[in-house]
């Protein structure tokens, strides 16, 4: 199951409660957070280091706070991957019980297209959907005037 979360002003994201329960992550647990290509991986530090495709995942340790948040380190992660406050990140749990975090692709909230997007009140709409909405309103106005 994939969940999207926004990065707050301090570079934190909330790990969903269902993820924390499934992975047995509690307040003050140490989480190893690192990058592989353009993906971020996070896992609870226990007895052994985790790996993806035989590559050991080493990075920075962060602590889960009382609200289930973890800080994405600024120098090694946010700056390198161009992640800013307000950005949407997609979270999912891999088969190895590692949290995979990727920058969410912005798309139209109505049809899912990712080209020719406009933002309005935290919503994203493509040009085609805007034109369709305009046609609906223009038709309503025409019908209202002829009544």
């Amino acid at each position: 199951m994939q969940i999207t979360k926004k990065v707050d002003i301090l570079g934190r994201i909330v790990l969903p409660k269902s993820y924390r329960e499934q992975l047995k992550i509690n307040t003050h647990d140490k989480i190893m957070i690192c990058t592989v290509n353009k993906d971020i991986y996070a896992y609870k530090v226990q007895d052994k280091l985790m790996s993806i495709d035989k590559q050991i995942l080493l990075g920075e340790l962060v602590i889960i706070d009382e609200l289930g948040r973890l800080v994405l380190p600024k120098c090694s992660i946010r700056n390198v991957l161009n992640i800013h406050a307000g950005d949407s990140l997609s979270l999912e749990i891999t088969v190895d019980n590692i949290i995979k975090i990727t920058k969410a692709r912005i798309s139209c909230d109505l049809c899912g297209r990712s080209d020719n997007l406009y933002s309005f009140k935290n919503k994203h709409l493509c040009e085609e959907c805007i034109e369709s909405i305009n046609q609906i309103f223009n038709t309503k106005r025409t019908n209202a005037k002829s009544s």
Side-chain angles (χ1 to χ4, degrees):
M1 173 176 67
Q2 196 172 49
I3 295 177
T4 302
K5 293 289 183 176
K6 287 201 181 275
V7 178
D8 73 10
I9 194 80
L10 298 176
R12 300 173 299 196
I13 57 170
V14 176
L15 292 181
K17 186 175 183 180
S18 60
Y19 282 26
R20 294 191 315 265
E21 288 173 349
Q22 180 178 341
L23 300 174
K24 296 176 178 57
I25 295 174
N26 300 304
T27 301
H28 305 297
D29 279 349
K30 293 178 183 170
I31 304 296
M32 179 69 72
I33 188 161
C34 56
T35 60
V36 176
N37 299 321
K38 292 191 176 203
D39 297 326
I40 303 166
Y41 292 92
Y43 62 92
K44 182 177 176 178
V45 175
Q46 295 174 342
D47 297 333
K48 62 178 187 162
L49 296 172
M50 302 294 280
S51 64
I52 294 281
D53 297 328
K54 298 181 183 175
Q55 181 177 350
I56 294 177
L57 297 175
L58 288 174
E60 293 187 45
L61 287 177
V62 296
I63 306 291
I64 295 291
D65 72 9
E66 295 80 13
L67 300 175
R69 298 175 297 198
L70 63 86
V71 176
L72 298 174
K74 188 170 186 176
C75 292
S76 63
I77 299 210
R78 287 185 282 153
N79 287 349
V80 172
L81 298 178
N82 199 25
I83 295 172
H84 304 286
D87 285 354
S88 294
L89 300 178
S90 296
L91 286 72
E92 65 180 312
I93 297 176
T94 69
V95 293
D96 299 317
N97 285 332
I98 298 172
I99 301 169
K100 181 180 180 183
I101 305 169
T102 54
K103 202 164 183 182
R105 201 177 109 216
I106 299 172
S107 60
C108 178
D109 290 330
L110 298 178
C111 72
R113 291 183 57 173
S114 59
D115 56 331
N116 299 324
L117 293 177
Y118 296 89
S119 294
F120 179 73
K121 295 188 177 184
N122 293 327
K123 298 293 179 194
H124 303 285
L125 298 172
C126 71
E127 209 168 273
E128 283 187 20
C129 288
I130 291 171
E131 288 176 15
S132 296
I133 291 168
N134 282 334
Q135 287 175 354
I136 292 168
F137 282 111
N138 289 336
T139 303
K140 274 187 154 184
R141 284 186 192 136
T142 304
N143 290 343
K145 286 180 182 178
S146 51
S147 295

